[in-house]
Amino acid sequence: MEQNGWGPPAVDLNFLKSGLGVLKLVQMLLSLAGFIVAQITASPYNWEQMQAFGWISLIIFILTLGMFTIFLASWHRSDIVARVNWPLVDFGHSALCTVLWSINVILGLVSISYHRPGREPGAIVDTILAIVSLVTFWATVRMSYRRWHLFSPTPTIPYHYQQLGTEPYS
């Protein structure tokens, strides 16, 4: 197996077992379930809010699948993309998906407020899925932010320079 190029991927099973890998897998499942429920709910009624909910869920699913594949196949460790700050890319992805799920929560709440028979169960299920997904993406944002700062730490001032009135070479 080639690990330095775009050849056959070296699957990183440790990523799959890690907290971030499990969160990405759960996020993909929730996004796919949200898309399916929204499309089933929206189809017979031509319901615009649920169609938007479904398409946003599908976009989130595709983005998360891409990030999951990159990390699982260890493409982020290849020489071709070695200069990319992958914790920052993951942070940006998670932050974007958190904003998109926030939009889906609003769409779900608006859909619940219409009180039309036959539509509420799907809207309620989608809103619950959106809230759970929002929480999982927020957890990923926090994890990615921490990994990003561990990847490029900020310089610290030595302790003896922090005391007032002490400067080097004075």
Side-chain angles (χ1 to χ4, degrees):
M1 286 191 152
E2 184 180 327
Q3 294 183 2
N4 293 332
W6 287 99
V11 176
D12 186 7
L13 294 178
N14 290 328
F15 171 73
L16 192 57
K17 296 174 186 176
S18 71
L20 187 62
V22 170
L23 275 175
K24 294 266 185 225
L25 194 59
V26 168
Q27 291 162 357
M28 286 189 305
L29 292 174
L30 289 172
S31 299
L32 187 61
F35 172 73
I36 291 170
V37 171
Q39 292 304 311
I40 290 172
T41 304
S43 294
Y45 303 106
N46 196 19
W47 198 4
E48 293 85 14
Q49 290 90 357
M50 281 293 108
Q51 288 176 346
F53 187 102
W55 286 109
I56 291 173
S57 298
L58 183 63
I59 289 168
I60 292 170
F61 173 76
I62 292 169
L63 290 173
T64 307
L65 178 65
M67 291 299 294
F68 182 77
T69 304
I70 287 170
F71 287 132
L72 184 65
S74 300
W75 286 338
H76 65 289
R77 293 184 185 149
S78 71
D79 291 338
I80 297 171
V81 291
R83 294 181 183 245
V84 175
N85 188 347
W86 285 105
L88 178 60
V89 170
D90 189 34
F91 173 73
H93 162 263
S94 300
L96 173 68
C97 290
T98 301
V99 170
L100 291 174
W101 273 117
S102 299
I103 293 169
N104 269 358
V105 167
I106 293 168
L107 287 171
L109 292 173
V110 167
S111 299
I112 289 174
S113 68
Y114 278 121
H115 298 298
R116 294 200 175 124
R119 294 185 182 183
E120 287 98 4
I124 291 170
V125 168
D126 270 342
T127 305
I128 292 170
L129 283 173
I131 291 170
V132 171
S133 296
L134 184 63
V135 169
T136 62
F137 270 104
W138 179 249
T140 306
V141 164
R142 290 184 51 128
M143 288 176 66
S144 299
Y145 184 77
R146 288 183 184 151
R147 285 181 53 221
W148 173 37
H149 276 285
L150 287 176
F151 183 70
S152 58
T154 56
T156 57
I157 301 172
Y159 176 74
H160 58 277
Y161 294 143
Q162 292 177 357
Q163 298 173 357
L164 292 175
T166 355
E167 296 181 34
Y169 310 113
S170 58

